[in-house]
Amino acid sequence: MPLHLSDLLARPDLRLSVTYDVPPHLLARTVEAATVSDLLSPGKWLQGGELLMTIGLLLPMEPAACRAYVRDVAEGGAACLALGLGQGLPYQEAPEPLVTAAEEAGLPLLTVPDEVPFIAVTKAVFDARATEQRAALHRAFATQRRLTAAAAGDGLRPMLAEWTAATGVGAAVLDPLGRLLAAGEREPRTPLAQARDLLDRVAAHGLRGSASSTAGGQQLEVQPLGARRLRGLLLLTGRPDDAARSVVPGLVSLLSLELERRHLRDEPERRRRSALLSELLAEEHPAPGRARDMLHSVGLTTERVRGVVVEAASGDGSRTRATGAGSGPAAPEPADGSTAESAESAESAAQEMAADLALAMPGGLVRVVGGTPGGTTNGTASGTTHDIPAGAPDRTPGGPSSPVVEAVVGEDLDIQDVLARFAPGRPAGIGPVTAPEAVRVSLRQAAGLLAVSRASGEPAEARQSQASRLLLDLGDRRTLQGYADTVLSPLDLADHGEELLATLAAWLETGGAWDATSRRLGVHRHTVRNRLDKAMDLTGRRLDDPDDRFDLWLATRIRRGGTPSPGPAGRPTSATPPPTPPER
C-alpha cells in the first residue's frame, strides 16, 4: 500500500504533529520521499511527493515572504512541510506567519520534536517505501503464477478472468480487425465503439507499438499480440498499479502464445477452404445449387460474391511489407540470392498474407496460386496450390512462379479496408459482384486488373476498368486539364459559374435524375433545370447528345481529380457516366 501522510502521523516513535486542522484529503497525500533543505526557494529541487523538512534557519517572518516561501514549496510538488523544533534551533514552536501561510496554501505543516532527528523520519519513509515495493513484487509474482496456471487451460478467457480478478483491471482480446475474441468479464467495461480509434491506430502499426487514451472516464490501453505477425489486440480498461503494470508484459506473452497456437490449430481448416476453392474453380460452369452449397458449407451465405486477387510478393522475390499485420518491413533478398531462395521467400510471404486475409474475411475462401519453379505441387500451411487455373493472372514482372493470393468473399465485405490493413501497397484486383456459380469469371477479371493496380498504386475494381477510368488514372495531367478547360471554360467565365459546374457534375453523376440532383444540392428541381439550361447555352452542348454528355462528364471528373463527388450518405457515386439521355 502507498505511504500516506496519515500513516506517518500515526507512528508513535516519530511523534509528528500538525500545526493546524488539516483536512482529511490533505492527510491522504502519498509520501514518495523525505528530504531536508533550508533554502529559501527549494521548489526547483523537488520532484513531487516529498516530505520536506527544515529547521527554518533562513525562514522569513514577514507574512508576505512566508507566503512566497510556502507557495514555492507547494508549486514544487511537496506533499507536506515539516519544521524541526528543539533546544538550540531557531524555533521551539511553529511561528504563526508560517502556519497561516501553510493553511492558506493548503499545504500540510508538521512539527518534528527535538528528540526525533530528521534521519529517523527519512528512514521511516524509505523503509515504508521498500516494504511497499516488496509487497508489489510479491503481488506481481502471485499474479504471474495465476496467469501461467490459467494458460495451461483452454482458450483466452481463463487468463483474462484471472488477470481481472487479481488486478481489478478489465481485459479483452480482439482480432486484428477489432472483433471481440474473449473478455475477462461478461461485458467489457468500455463499449468497443469507444475504443475503436485506439484499436485501429495500434493495429495499423502491427507489432511495433502500443497506445493509451481515456474514454468515458476510463483509462484505455491497447497492446499488440503475436510473435512475428499481428494476431490480435489486448484492450485493458482501468489504471494498473505498479504491481499489475509489471505483469503486463507477461500477460502479453501468454496471450500471444495462445493466439499463435490457435493460428496453428486453424491450419487444417485453411487447407480445407483452399481445397474447396480449387474444387469450385475447377468446374468451368458449376451448377448454381452446387456452387451455393459449397459456399454455404464454410459460412459464406451471401447471395452474391466477388473474386479478389492480390500479388503477394515483389518481382525480385522480396517479402511483402504488410504494415497492418506484420512487424515491419522485411529485409530484401541477398544480392546473390538464388532462384530457389527467391521463390521460397515469395511463397512464404504469400502464405503469411493468405493466412491474414483468411482471418479477415468471414466465410471467405483463400488460396495461394503459383510459387514453385517447375510447377510441382506441394502442400503448405496456407493451402498453397500450383495447378494454375484458366484465367490465372499474368504475373509480370514476377514471372510465372510469382505467387498470388486468390480469394472469394461476400459482397458485403469492405474489401478495400481489408486490403489496406493486410496487403498495403500490394497490387490487387477486385472482381465484380456475381452469383456463386460465376465467381470464376469474377476472379478472371480481378486478375486482369493487376496491371492497372501496379500502375495506379492502389487496388483496382472491375467497375473502374472502363477506358475513361484508365484515361483518368494513367493520362498526362496537363493534357487532361487542358481538355477539361476547353470544355468548361465558358462556365468558368460566367456569373455563378461554380454553381453551374456543381449542378452539372451532380446531375451527370446521378444519371440525369432530376429529383436526386435536387436532393443532393438542396435546391428545387426547377432550379436544377434552369441552371443546366444556362450551362448548355454557354457551352454550346446538348444533354441529349451522347458525345456531348460524355465530354461534359469526363471534363467535370477531371476537375474533381478523377474521383466522384460524395453522395447523400457520404459515399462516392458511380464512376460510370449515365448511358441514356435524360427525360425532360
Side-chain angles (χ1 to χ4, degrees), residues 203-250:
H205 287 83
L207 297 176
R208 294 193 298 274
S210 59
S212 61
S213 68
T214 56
Q218 295 259 32
Q219 176 174 303
L220 303 180
E221 180 179 339
V222 177
Q223 295 279 351
L225 301 175
R228 292 179 301 173
R229 312 275 295 175
L230 182 69
R231 303 295 184 200
L233 301 163
L234 170 63
L235 173 63
L236 299 178
T237 305
R239 190 180 298 276
D241 60 16
D242 291 342
R245 170 60 57 196
S246 66
V247 182
V248 170

mmCIF file of all heavy atoms in Angstrom, residues 203-250:
data_model
loop_
_atom_site.group_PDB
_atom_site.id
_atom_site.type_symbol
_atom_site.label_atom_id
_atom_site.label_comp_id
_atom_site.label_asym_id
_atom_site.label_seq_id
_atom_site.Cartn_x
_atom_site.Cartn_y
_atom_site.Cartn_z
ATOM 1 N N ALA A 203 -3.411 -1.287 -34.457
ATOM 2 C CA ALA A 203 -3.406 -2.315 -35.495
ATOM 3 C C ALA A 203 -2.663 -1.855 -36.733
ATOM 4 O O ALA A 203 -1.998 -2.648 -37.412
ATOM 5 C CB ALA A 203 -4.844 -2.707 -35.850
ATOM 6 N N ALA A 204 -2.758 -0.563 -37.045
ATOM 7 C CA ALA A 204 -2.085 -0.049 -38.236
ATOM 8 C C ALA A 204 -0.568 -0.119 -38.119
ATOM 9 O O ALA A 204 0.129 -0.131 -39.122
ATOM 10 C CB ALA A 204 -2.515 1.397 -38.490
ATOM 11 N N HIS A 205 -0.039 -0.191 -36.883
ATOM 12 C CA HIS A 205 1.408 -0.252 -36.685
ATOM 13 C C HIS A 205 1.895 -1.676 -36.437
ATOM 14 O O HIS A 205 3.078 -1.876 -36.139
ATOM 15 C CB HIS A 205 1.816 0.644 -35.508
ATOM 16 C CG HIS A 205 1.736 2.111 -35.821
ATOM 17 N ND1 HIS A 205 0.553 2.825 -35.747
ATOM 18 C CD2 HIS A 205 2.666 2.990 -36.242
ATOM 19 C CE1 HIS A 205 0.772 4.081 -36.077
ATOM 20 N NE2 HIS A 205 2.042 4.210 -36.393
ATOM 21 N N GLY A 206 1.016 -2.657 -36.543
ATOM 22 C CA GLY A 206 1.440 -4.036 -36.346
ATOM 23 C C GLY A 206 1.966 -4.275 -34.948
ATOM 24 O O GLY A 206 1.360 -3.864 -33.951
ATOM 25 N N LEU A 207 3.128 -4.932 -34.862
ATOM 26 C CA LEU A 207 3.716 -5.264 -33.568
ATOM 27 C C LEU A 207 4.630 -4.173 -33.039
ATOM 28 O O LEU A 207 5.326 -4.382 -32.048
ATOM 29 C CB LEU A 207 4.513 -6.576 -33.683
ATOM 30 C CG LEU A 207 3.713 -7.823 -34.043
ATOM 31 C CD1 LEU A 207 4.645 -9.009 -34.224
ATOM 32 C CD2 LEU A 207 2.677 -8.135 -32.967
ATOM 33 N N ARG A 208 4.632 -3.029 -33.674
ATOM 34 C CA ARG A 208 5.661 -2.050 -33.379
ATOM 35 C C ARG A 208 5.274 -1.013 -32.326
ATOM 36 O O ARG A 208 6.051 -0.113 -32.049
ATOM 37 C CB ARG A 208 6.074 -1.316 -34.660
ATOM 38 C CG ARG A 208 6.761 -2.213 -35.669
ATOM 39 C CD ARG A 208 7.412 -1.377 -36.760
ATOM 40 N NE ARG A 208 6.447 -0.597 -37.503
ATOM 41 C CZ ARG A 208 5.762 -1.044 -38.549
ATOM 42 N NH1 ARG A 208 5.916 -2.306 -38.946
ATOM 43 N NH2 ARG A 208 4.917 -0.282 -39.186
ATOM 44 N N GLY A 209 4.116 -1.088 -31.715
ATOM 45 C CA GLY A 209 3.806 -0.073 -30.708
ATOM 46 C C GLY A 209 2.482 -0.323 -30.024
ATOM 47 O O GLY A 209 1.649 -1.101 -30.487
ATOM 48 N N SER A 210 2.303 0.345 -28.884
ATOM 49 C CA SER A 210 1.055 0.320 -28.139
ATOM 50 C C SER A 210 0.568 1.752 -27.993
ATOM 51 O O SER A 210 1.249 2.693 -28.397
ATOM 52 C CB SER A 210 1.269 -0.325 -26.763
ATOM 53 O OG SER A 210 2.249 0.402 -26.034
ATOM 54 N N ALA A 211 -0.607 1.921 -27.391
ATOM 55 C CA ALA A 211 -1.154 3.269 -27.233
ATOM 56 C C ALA A 211 -2.134 3.268 -26.075
ATOM 57 O O ALA A 211 -2.664 2.216 -25.681
ATOM 58 C CB ALA A 211 -1.838 3.737 -28.520
ATOM 59 N N SER A 212 -2.388 4.448 -25.517
ATOM 60 C CA SER A 212 -3.350 4.582 -24.419
ATOM 61 C C SER A 212 -4.107 5.892 -24.580
ATOM 62 O O SER A 212 -3.624 6.833 -25.213
ATOM 63 C CB SER A 212 -2.641 4.538 -23.060
ATOM 64 O OG SER A 212 -1.726 5.613 -22.947
ATOM 65 N N SER A 213 -5.290 5.935 -23.998
ATOM 66 C CA SER A 213 -6.118 7.139 -24.012
ATOM 67 C C SER A 213 -7.180 6.975 -22.947
ATOM 68 O O SER A 213 -7.162 6.015 -22.174
ATOM 69 C CB SER A 213 -6.739 7.356 -25.399
ATOM 70 O OG SER A 213 -7.700 6.348 -25.667
ATOM 71 N N THR A 214 -8.114 7.904 -22.898
ATOM 72 C CA THR A 214 -9.226 7.803 -21.964
ATOM 73 C C THR A 214 -10.532 7.892 -22.739
ATOM 74 O O THR A 214 -10.622 8.597 -23.748
ATOM 75 C CB THR A 214 -9.180 8.921 -20.910
ATOM 76 O OG1 THR A 214 -9.162 10.192 -21.573
ATOM 77 C CG2 THR A 214 -7.947 8.797 -20.040
ATOM 78 N N ALA A 215 -11.542 7.186 -22.262
ATOM 79 C CA ALA A 215 -12.873 7.209 -22.879
ATOM 80 C C ALA A 215 -13.894 6.895 -21.799
ATOM 81 O O ALA A 215 -13.751 5.904 -21.078
ATOM 82 C CB ALA A 215 -12.973 6.205 -24.021
ATOM 83 N N GLY A 216 -14.913 7.732 -21.714
ATOM 84 C CA GLY A 216 -15.952 7.518 -20.711
ATOM 85 C C GLY A 216 -15.420 7.531 -19.289
ATOM 86 O O GLY A 216 -15.937 6.815 -18.428
ATOM 87 N N GLY A 217 -14.350 8.317 -19.041
ATOM 88 C CA GLY A 217 -13.772 8.378 -17.707
ATOM 89 C C GLY A 217 -12.872 7.222 -17.362
ATOM 90 O O GLY A 217 -12.360 7.144 -16.240
ATOM 91 N N GLN A 218 -12.651 6.302 -18.287
ATOM 92 C CA GLN A 218 -11.808 5.130 -18.052
ATOM 93 C C GLN A 218 -10.514 5.258 -18.845
ATOM 94 O O GLN A 218 -10.506 5.751 -19.964
ATOM 95 C CB GLN A 218 -12.531 3.848 -18.505
ATOM 96 C CG GLN A 218 -13.769 3.529 -17.712
ATOM 97 C CD GLN A 218 -13.519 2.441 -16.684
ATOM 98 O OE1 GLN A 218 -12.425 2.319 -16.155
ATOM 99 N NE2 GLN A 218 -14.541 1.650 -16.421
ATOM 100 N N GLN A 219 -9.406 4.814 -18.238
ATOM 101 C CA GLN A 219 -8.159 4.749 -18.993
ATOM 102 C C GLN A 219 -8.157 3.500 -19.853
ATOM 103 O O GLN A 219 -8.466 2.405 -19.389
ATOM 104 C CB GLN A 219 -6.946 4.727 -18.068
ATOM 105 C CG GLN A 219 -5.631 4.563 -18.834
ATOM 106 C CD GLN A 219 -4.410 4.671 -17.955
ATOM 107 O OE1 GLN A 219 -4.220 5.676 -17.283
ATOM 108 N NE2 GLN A 219 -3.577 3.647 -17.970
ATOM 109 N N LEU A 220 -7.813 3.655 -21.127
ATOM 110 C CA LEU A 220 -7.746 2.543 -22.059
ATOM 111 C C LEU A 220 -6.308 2.374 -22.529
ATOM 112 O O LEU A 220 -5.595 3.349 -22.760
ATOM 113 C CB LEU A 220 -8.643 2.790 -23.280
ATOM 114 C CG LEU A 220 -10.122 3.057 -23.018
ATOM 115 C CD1 LEU A 220 -10.845 3.286 -24.340
ATOM 116 C CD2 LEU A 220 -10.753 1.917 -22.252
ATOM 117 N N GLU A 221 -5.903 1.131 -22.675
ATOM 118 C CA GLU A 221 -4.563 0.817 -23.184
ATOM 119 C C GLU A 221 -4.682 -0.363 -24.138
ATOM 120 O O GLU A 221 -5.398 -1.328 -23.851
ATOM 121 C CB GLU A 221 -3.622 0.477 -22.028
ATOM 122 C CG GLU A 221 -2.205 0.138 -22.474
ATOM 123 C CD GLU A 221 -1.289 -0.184 -21.313
ATOM 124 O OE1 GLU A 221 -1.606 0.237 -20.172
ATOM 125 O OE2 GLU A 221 -0.262 -0.859 -21.521
ATOM 126 N N VAL A 222 -4.011 -0.285 -25.265
ATOM 127 C CA VAL A 222 -4.048 -1.350 -26.263
ATOM 128 C C VAL A 222 -2.626 -1.830 -26.517
ATOM 129 O O VAL A 222 -1.725 -1.023 -26.770
ATOM 130 C CB VAL A 222 -4.694 -0.882 -27.578
ATOM 131 C CG1 VAL A 222 -4.649 -1.994 -28.628
ATOM 132 C CG2 VAL A 222 -6.135 -0.448 -27.339
ATOM 133 N N GLN A 223 -2.431 -3.149 -26.433
ATOM 134 C CA GLN A 223 -1.143 -3.780 -26.692
ATOM 135 C C GLN A 223 -1.304 -4.754 -27.858
ATOM 136 O O GLN A 223 -2.294 -5.494 -27.931
ATOM 137 C CB GLN A 223 -0.653 -4.554 -25.460
ATOM 138 C CG GLN A 223 -0.353 -3.712 -24.249
ATOM 139 C CD GLN A 223 1.012 -3.054 -24.330
ATOM 140 O OE1 GLN A 223 1.807 -3.342 -25.213
ATOM 141 N NE2 GLN A 223 1.287 -2.146 -23.398
ATOM 142 N N PRO A 224 -0.340 -4.792 -28.801
ATOM 143 C CA PRO A 224 -0.418 -5.772 -29.895
ATOM 144 C C PRO A 224 -0.026 -7.158 -29.415
ATOM 145 O O PRO A 224 0.812 -7.305 -28.526
ATOM 146 C CB PRO A 224 0.604 -5.223 -30.908
ATOM 147 C CG PRO A 224 1.608 -4.495 -30.070
ATOM 148 C CD PRO A 224 0.839 -3.919 -28.906
ATOM 149 N N LEU A 225 -0.639 -8.164 -30.008
ATOM 150 C CA LEU A 225 -0.372 -9.563 -29.646
ATOM 151 C C LEU A 225 0.110 -10.323 -30.874
ATOM 152 O O LEU A 225 -0.401 -10.128 -31.977
ATOM 153 C CB LEU A 225 -1.640 -10.223 -29.097
ATOM 154 C CG LEU A 225 -2.275 -9.577 -27.861
ATOM 155 C CD1 LEU A 225 -3.582 -10.288 -27.519
ATOM 156 C CD2 LEU A 225 -1.325 -9.600 -26.670
ATOM 157 N N GLY A 226 1.077 -11.197 -30.674
ATOM 158 C CA GLY A 226 1.594 -12.012 -31.763
ATOM 159 C C GLY A 226 3.094 -12.172 -31.647
ATOM 160 O O GLY A 226 3.762 -11.417 -30.925
ATOM 161 N N ALA A 227 3.633 -13.160 -32.362
ATOM 162 C CA ALA A 227 5.068 -13.407 -32.343
ATOM 163 C C ALA A 227 5.757 -12.668 -33.485
ATOM 164 O O ALA A 227 6.449 -11.683 -33.281
ATOM 165 C CB ALA A 227 5.350 -14.909 -32.413
ATOM 166 N N ARG A 228 5.523 -13.117 -34.715
ATOM 167 C CA ARG A 228 6.121 -12.450 -35.871
ATOM 168 C C ARG A 228 5.100 -11.638 -36.660
ATOM 169 O O ARG A 228 5.459 -10.727 -37.398
ATOM 170 C CB ARG A 228 6.765 -13.484 -36.802
ATOM 171 C CG ARG A 228 7.982 -14.165 -36.217
ATOM 172 C CD ARG A 228 8.535 -15.185 -37.180
ATOM 173 N NE ARG A 228 7.544 -16.204 -37.498
ATOM 174 C CZ ARG A 228 7.702 -17.155 -38.422
ATOM 175 N NH1 ARG A 228 8.817 -17.161 -39.139
ATOM 176 N NH2 ARG A 228 6.777 -18.049 -38.640
ATOM 177 N N ARG A 229 3.819 -11.951 -36.513
ATOM 178 C CA ARG A 229 2.735 -11.248 -37.193
ATOM 179 C C ARG A 229 1.713 -10.810 -36.157
ATOM 180 O O ARG A 229 1.598 -11.399 -35.088
ATOM 181 C CB ARG A 229 2.045 -12.170 -38.217
ATOM 182 C CG ARG A 229 2.962 -12.925 -39.144
ATOM 183 C CD ARG A 229 3.337 -12.126 -40.340
ATOM 184 N NE ARG A 229 2.187 -11.841 -41.185
ATOM 185 C CZ ARG A 229 2.267 -11.066 -42.262
ATOM 186 N NH1 ARG A 229 3.414 -10.511 -42.593
ATOM 187 N NH2 ARG A 229 1.204 -10.834 -42.999
ATOM 188 N N LEU A 230 0.984 -9.771 -36.464
ATOM 189 C CA LEU A 230 -0.079 -9.319 -35.574
ATOM 190 C C LEU A 230 -1.209 -10.342 -35.596
ATOM 191 O O LEU A 230 -1.830 -10.570 -36.626
ATOM 192 C CB LEU A 230 -0.599 -7.950 -36.016
ATOM 193 C CG LEU A 230 -1.680 -7.343 -35.123
ATOM 194 C CD1 LEU A 230 -1.105 -6.955 -33.770
ATOM 195 C CD2 LEU A 230 -2.317 -6.130 -35.783
ATOM 196 N N ARG A 231 -1.459 -10.949 -34.458
ATOM 197 C CA ARG A 231 -2.540 -11.929 -34.337
ATOM 198 C C ARG A 231 -3.755 -11.394 -33.588
ATOM 199 O O ARG A 231 -4.845 -11.953 -33.691
ATOM 200 C CB ARG A 231 -2.037 -13.185 -33.603
ATOM 201 C CG ARG A 231 -0.848 -13.858 -34.227
ATOM 202 C CD ARG A 231 -1.157 -14.413 -35.586
ATOM 203 N NE ARG A 231 -0.015 -15.150 -36.129
ATOM 204 C CZ ARG A 231 0.160 -15.425 -37.402
ATOM 205 N NH1 ARG A 231 -0.731 -14.999 -38.296
ATOM 206 N NH2 ARG A 231 1.211 -16.084 -37.807
ATOM 207 N N GLY A 232 -3.573 -10.351 -32.810
ATOM 208 C CA GLY A 232 -4.700 -9.831 -32.049
ATOM 209 C C GLY A 232 -4.294 -8.582 -31.286
ATOM 210 O O GLY A 232 -3.164 -8.087 -31.389
ATOM 211 N N LEU A 233 -5.242 -8.056 -30.497
ATOM 212 C CA LEU A 233 -5.047 -6.825 -29.723
ATOM 213 C C LEU A 233 -5.568 -7.038 -28.313
ATOM 214 O O LEU A 233 -6.640 -7.621 -28.110
ATOM 215 C CB LEU A 233 -5.789 -5.655 -30.374
ATOM 216 C CG LEU A 233 -5.395 -5.315 -31.819
ATOM 217 C CD1 LEU A 233 -6.461 -4.445 -32.461
ATOM 218 C CD2 LEU A 233 -4.045 -4.621 -31.852
ATOM 219 N N LEU A 234 -4.812 -6.576 -27.334
ATOM 220 C CA LEU A 234 -5.232 -6.631 -25.932
ATOM 221 C C LEU A 234 -5.708 -5.261 -25.512
ATOM 222 O O LEU A 234 -4.960 -4.278 -25.602
ATOM 223 C CB LEU A 234 -4.055 -7.081 -25.053
ATOM 224 C CG LEU A 234 -4.280 -6.962 -23.529
ATOM 225 C CD1 LEU A 234 -5.416 -7.874 -23.073
ATOM 226 C CD2 LEU A 234 -2.993 -7.289 -22.774
ATOM 227 N N LEU A 235 -6.949 -5.172 -25.051
ATOM 228 C CA LEU A 235 -7.533 -3.924 -24.577
ATOM 229 C C LEU A 235 -7.658 -3.980 -23.057
ATOM 230 O O LEU A 235 -8.368 -4.833 -22.520
ATOM 231 C CB LEU A 235 -8.914 -3.697 -25.203
ATOM 232 C CG LEU A 235 -9.717 -2.507 -24.670
ATOM 233 C CD1 LEU A 235 -8.995 -1.193 -24.944
ATOM 234 C CD2 LEU A 235 -11.117 -2.482 -25.279
ATOM 235 N N LEU A 236 -6.935 -3.099 -22.360
ATOM 236 C CA LEU A 236 -7.007 -3.001 -20.907
ATOM 237 C C LEU A 236 -7.847 -1.791 -20.541
ATOM 238 O O LEU A 236 -7.641 -0.694 -21.085
ATOM 239 C CB LEU A 236 -5.608 -2.855 -20.299
ATOM 240 C CG LEU A 236 -4.628 -4.012 -20.556
ATOM 241 C CD1 LEU A 236 -3.274 -3.703 -19.945
ATOM 242 C CD2 LEU A 236 -5.178 -5.318 -20.012
ATOM 243 N N THR A 237 -8.782 -1.979 -19.607
ATOM 244 C CA THR A 237 -9.683 -0.911 -19.182
ATOM 245 C C THR A 237 -9.484 -0.672 -17.695
ATOM 246 O O THR A 237 -9.830 -1.517 -16.875
ATOM 247 C CB THR A 237 -11.145 -1.286 -19.458
ATOM 248 O OG1 THR A 237 -11.292 -1.622 -20.835
ATOM 249 C CG2 THR A 237 -12.059 -0.122 -19.135
ATOM 250 N N GLY A 238 -8.903 0.459 -17.356
ATOM 251 C CA GLY A 238 -8.601 0.772 -15.963
ATOM 252 C C GLY A 238 -7.140 1.182 -15.844
ATOM 253 O O GLY A 238 -6.380 1.137 -16.809
ATOM 254 N N ARG A 239 -6.741 1.569 -14.650
ATOM 255 C CA ARG A 239 -5.375 2.030 -14.422
ATOM 256 C C ARG A 239 -4.636 1.000 -13.570
ATOM 257 O O ARG A 239 -4.834 0.918 -12.369
ATOM 258 C CB ARG A 239 -5.386 3.386 -13.718
ATOM 259 C CG ARG A 239 -4.013 4.062 -13.662
ATOM 260 C CD ARG A 239 -4.124 5.405 -12.955
ATOM 261 N NE ARG A 239 -5.000 6.305 -13.668
ATOM 262 C CZ ARG A 239 -4.609 7.054 -14.695
ATOM 263 N NH1 ARG A 239 -3.357 7.004 -15.124
ATOM 264 N NH2 ARG A 239 -5.476 7.870 -15.289
ATOM 265 N N PRO A 240 -3.740 0.209 -14.178
ATOM 266 C CA PRO A 240 -3.000 -0.790 -13.392
ATOM 267 C C PRO A 240 -2.073 -0.124 -12.381
ATOM 268 O O PRO A 240 -1.458 0.914 -12.678
ATOM 269 C CB PRO A 240 -2.187 -1.550 -14.459
ATOM 270 C CG PRO A 240 -2.818 -1.209 -15.773
ATOM 271 C CD PRO A 240 -3.399 0.161 -15.604
ATOM 272 N N ASP A 241 -1.965 -0.705 -11.173
ATOM 273 C CA ASP A 241 -0.978 -0.205 -10.221
ATOM 274 C C ASP A 241 0.402 -0.727 -10.615
ATOM 275 O O ASP A 241 0.563 -1.400 -11.636
ATOM 276 C CB ASP A 241 -1.356 -0.604 -8.791
ATOM 277 C CG ASP A 241 -1.436 -2.121 -8.605
ATOM 278 O OD1 ASP A 241 -0.912 -2.869 -9.459
ATOM 279 O OD2 ASP A 241 -2.013 -2.562 -7.594
ATOM 280 N N ASP A 242 1.410 -0.410 -9.808
ATOM 281 C CA ASP A 242 2.775 -0.777 -10.168
ATOM 282 C C ASP A 242 2.942 -2.289 -10.291
ATOM 283 O O ASP A 242 3.645 -2.776 -11.184
ATOM 284 C CB ASP A 242 3.754 -0.229 -9.127
ATOM 285 C CG ASP A 242 3.860 1.291 -9.178
ATOM 286 O OD1 ASP A 242 3.456 1.867 -10.210
ATOM 287 O OD2 ASP A 242 4.338 1.896 -8.195
ATOM 288 N N ALA A 243 2.293 -3.033 -9.387
ATOM 289 C CA ALA A 243 2.409 -4.487 -9.443
ATOM 290 C C ALA A 243 1.782 -5.038 -10.714
ATOM 291 O O ALA A 243 2.365 -5.885 -11.409
ATOM 292 C CB ALA A 243 1.752 -5.119 -8.213
ATOM 293 N N ALA A 244 0.589 -4.550 -11.039
ATOM 294 C CA ALA A 244 -0.079 -5.022 -12.255
ATOM 295 C C ALA A 244 0.691 -4.591 -13.496
ATOM 296 O O ALA A 244 0.811 -5.351 -14.463
ATOM 297 C CB ALA A 244 -1.505 -4.490 -12.299
ATOM 298 N N ARG A 245 1.242 -3.373 -13.481
ATOM 299 C CA ARG A 245 1.984 -2.890 -14.642
ATOM 300 C C ARG A 245 3.174 -3.788 -14.954
ATOM 301 O O ARG A 245 3.480 -4.047 -16.123
ATOM 302 C CB ARG A 245 2.451 -1.461 -14.355
ATOM 303 C CG ARG A 245 3.432 -0.867 -15.353
ATOM 304 C CD ARG A 245 2.866 -0.802 -16.734
ATOM 305 N NE ARG A 245 1.622 -0.041 -16.760
ATOM 306 C CZ ARG A 245 0.760 -0.073 -17.755
ATOM 307 N NH1 ARG A 245 0.994 -0.849 -18.806
ATOM 308 N NH2 ARG A 245 -0.343 0.631 -17.721
ATOM 309 N N SER A 246 3.837 -4.302 -13.915
ATOM 310 C CA SER A 246 4.998 -5.159 -14.146
ATOM 311 C C SER A 246 4.623 -6.516 -14.726
ATOM 312 O O SER A 246 5.476 -7.222 -15.267
ATOM 313 C CB SER A 246 5.771 -5.361 -12.838
ATOM 314 O OG SER A 246 4.993 -6.094 -11.898
ATOM 315 N N VAL A 247 3.329 -6.881 -14.627
ATOM 316 C CA VAL A 247 2.881 -8.176 -15.134
ATOM 317 C C VAL A 247 2.353 -8.072 -16.571
ATOM 318 O O VAL A 247 2.201 -9.077 -17.253
ATOM 319 C CB VAL A 247 1.796 -8.771 -14.205
ATOM 320 C CG1 VAL A 247 1.334 -10.142 -14.669
ATOM 321 C CG2 VAL A 247 2.334 -8.885 -12.788
ATOM 322 N N VAL A 248 2.093 -6.839 -17.043
ATOM 323 C CA VAL A 248 1.536 -6.675 -18.387
ATOM 324 C C VAL A 248 2.379 -7.368 -19.456
ATOM 325 O O VAL A 248 1.833 -8.066 -20.321
ATOM 326 C CB VAL A 248 1.336 -5.180 -18.712
ATOM 327 C CG1 VAL A 248 0.999 -4.987 -20.189
ATOM 328 C CG2 VAL A 248 0.219 -4.601 -17.857
ATOM 329 N N PRO A 249 3.729 -7.239 -19.455
ATOM 330 C CA PRO A 249 4.499 -7.958 -20.487
ATOM 331 C C PRO A 249 4.298 -9.469 -20.450
ATOM 332 O O PRO A 249 4.225 -10.122 -21.500
ATOM 333 C CB PRO A 249 5.950 -7.590 -20.156
ATOM 334 C CG PRO A 249 5.860 -6.275 -19.456
ATOM 335 C CD PRO A 249 4.598 -6.363 -18.647
ATOM 336 N N GLY A 250 4.187 -10.039 -19.231
ATOM 337 C CA GLY A 250 3.935 -11.474 -19.143
ATOM 338 C C GLY A 250 2.569 -11.848 -19.694
ATOM 339 O O GLY A 250 2.418 -12.876 -20.365
#
